[in-house]
Amino acid sequence: MVAGELVQEHLRADIGAPDDITVGRKGPQLDGAAERYGKPSYGVAPAGGVGETDSDLEQEKELPPDEREAMLPNGGGGEADEEGGKALETRLYWRRFAVLTVFSLYSLVNAFQWIQYSIITNVFTQYYEVTSDKVDWLSIVYMVVYVPLIFPATWLLDRKGLRLTALLGSGLNCIGAWLKCASVGRELFGVTFTAQVICSVAQVFILGLPSRIASVWFGPREVSTACATAVLGNQLGTAIGFLLPPVLVPNTPNDVQLTGRNISIMFYGTAAVSTGLFILTVIVIKDRPPRPPSQAQAVLPDSPPEDYSYKQSILNLMKNKAFVLLLISYGIMTGSFYSVSTLLNQMILAYYENQELNAGRIGLTLVVAGMVGSILCGVWLDYTKMYKMTTLIVYSLSFLGMAVFTLTLDLSSIYLVFFTAGALGFFMTGYLPLGFEFGVEITYPESEGTSSGLLNAFAQIFGIIFTLIQGKLTTVYKPLAGNLFLCAWIFLGTLLTALIKSELKRHNVNLGADSNHLQALPVEHPVDCPSKEKTNGVELKPSISRETSV
């Protein structure tokens, strides 16, 4: 039955059949959408055919005919809006690349600060004279802080927009980095822990943004690649976090002063880079472009604050069975990655003594391979739109990669560990943007920030549980026991992924399949509507094409 469902998804992605989407607007005109993009005439083609002139950074890029055809009903050939007699218009701006780059870079620095302690656990335990579990908590705190703060963070993203959220993420990351510079004294472990808490709060305003940036700034044929690239920045930060700390802070147990100087150099360098990126964030990042990049963004209603219910949005998501299955499976996979990353140093040193530098290089190999996997998966999704099939295949191969890594770790071949870690990272880390984009597809038109925030919250919860349990198993028994524990959970996640019913809602709107399936339905009080049929300002109705059930 699962195979039949995957074939159905592939066929629907090819023919663009609409799937359970009827978009309702606040009113019969486009005023709400205009306010959403900051222009009273948003989405309406000027009578003379002449667009506005923007700054050099926002030079408009006309869409090619084939992309416009995919984005607008009936090819976008000047079809009139039913009410106003004016055509919807979408644009792509060069500024989107600057927004994506700046976000990816400060996300990189935040991820670097997450792993910079764990990969040289033995150095920090000797320097601060603490136990290894306390150093582990410098990584776990990222997960603990995320869970309670994700709900106010996603509410802020929905209400105040992308720019303020980005400023908070970049700003707090900068503050935490400078506070670490004041924590180099051996008796100041509490200060460095406080600084790490601030950086972990910054992460709350970072992890949920890739899908939002991709959706509001990028076109339908590049949105998955853009999301993968945004996630790539965080992965690259983890990779650099594996590589640089062992080089900048080598293990010198007989020279504590030298260790302190090396730690200070690492902290001050991070703080300087964080400051520069915060300034760029202030200059570059905006809430959204003047005109929307895709039809899916163009038709979204702009519910005024008094009508929008964040609570209702959460309830709608939690009543979506496919999304709940994705929450659990995404949490298992990403939590496993967090656990492996945190405990990698301890796993490697358990079998290969005095290999701190190689432990960092193995971590680098794991993440760099995952970065390649992320980009390839993003490009593949943009080309095929085969979300479930791709997700299930990558999940299954991640399980096989974890099993091989577990069974070959103790074979006394460090080069074999490099290879198996690379294979594991290619699929496990490559899965992260797949989960984001799949979540957006099956929950459209709910906020991308809300769905991504919930996915990350479950990832942090599973990450905390897995890290604590695997760490205990690794310490009391051997790394083999902890890794087998993760293998069992990843296998369960594979089964749950196979049960997800794929409904490519956003994709069908972008295809603009048939105006009979894309109707404007006024929804005056979205909060009062049954969540099974309606979301905040958008009504979902069954269409002709339905997914084959499992």
Side-chain angles (χ1 to χ4, degrees), residues 261-280:
R261 285 197 299 271
N262 292 334
I263 292 174
S264 180
I265 291 172
M266 180 173 67
F267 285 166
Y268 273 102
T270 305
V273 174
S274 299
T275 303
L277 290 173
F278 175 70
I279 294 172
L280 287 177

Side-chain angles (χ1 to χ4, degrees), residues 84 90 98 208-209 279 324 329 339 362 411 512:
T90 57
L209 294 189
I279 294 172
V324 171
S329 60
S339 183
I362 290 171
L411 295 183

Side-chain angles (χ1 to χ4, degrees), residues 117 134 137-138 141 183 188-198:
Y117 293 99
K134 290 185 178 180
W137 271 99
L138 291 171
V141 70
S183 68
L188 297 177
F189 181 79
V191 177
T192 205
F193 189 88
T194 302
Q196 191 74 338
V197 170
I198 295 175

Side-chain angles (χ1 to χ4, degrees), residues 227-284:
C227 182
T229 304
V231 174
L232 186 73
N234 199 268
Q235 296 172 358
L236 181 59
T238 304
I240 296 175
F242 281 126
L243 177 65
L244 282 186
V247 175
L248 297 176
V249 190
N251 188 17
T252 55
N254 298 325
D255 193 341
V256 177
Q257 290 185 346
L258 177 60
T259 301
R261 285 197 299 271
N262 292 334
I263 292 174
S264 180
I265 291 172
M266 180 173 67
F267 285 166
Y268 273 102
T270 305
V273 174
S274 299
T275 303
L277 290 173
F278 175 70
I279 294 172
L280 287 177
T281 303
V282 174
I283 297 172
V284 171

Side-chain angles (χ1 to χ4, degrees), residues 390-504:
T390 305
T391 302
L392 182 57
I393 291 174
V394 171
Y395 213 114
S396 301
L397 292 174
S398 297
F399 167 72
L400 292 178
M402 188 68 202
V404 173
F405 176 79
T406 298
L407 298 176
T408 59
L409 186 60
D410 61 346
L411 295 183
S412 301
S413 175
I414 194 72
Y415 298 106
L416 181 61
V417 177
F418 271 96
F419 176 78
T420 56
L424 174 64
F426 182 87
F427 297 110
M428 180 179 280
T429 314
Y431 169 82
L432 303 184
L434 290 179
F436 275 155
E437 283 296 285
F438 197 16
V440 172
E441 284 291 340
I442 63 180
T443 61
Y444 178 87
E446 298 293 346
S447 168
E448 304 91 350
T450 305
S451 61
S452 298
L454 287 174
L455 287 172
N456 280 319
F458 271 67
Q460 310 303 325
I461 292 172
F462 278 97
I464 295 168
I465 296 172
F466 287 173
T467 302
L468 292 176
I469 295 178
Q470 187 187 11
K472 190 68 173 178
L473 291 173
T474 300
T475 302
V476 176
Y477 301 99
K478 289 183 178 180
L480 177 65
N483 288 335
L484 288 175
F485 168 79
L486 290 186
C487 286
W489 277 96
I490 296 175
F491 179 74
L492 174 61
T494 305
L495 299 180
L496 294 177
T497 301
L499 297 176
I500 298 175
K501 181 179 179 180
S502 177
E503 298 179 281
L504 306 185

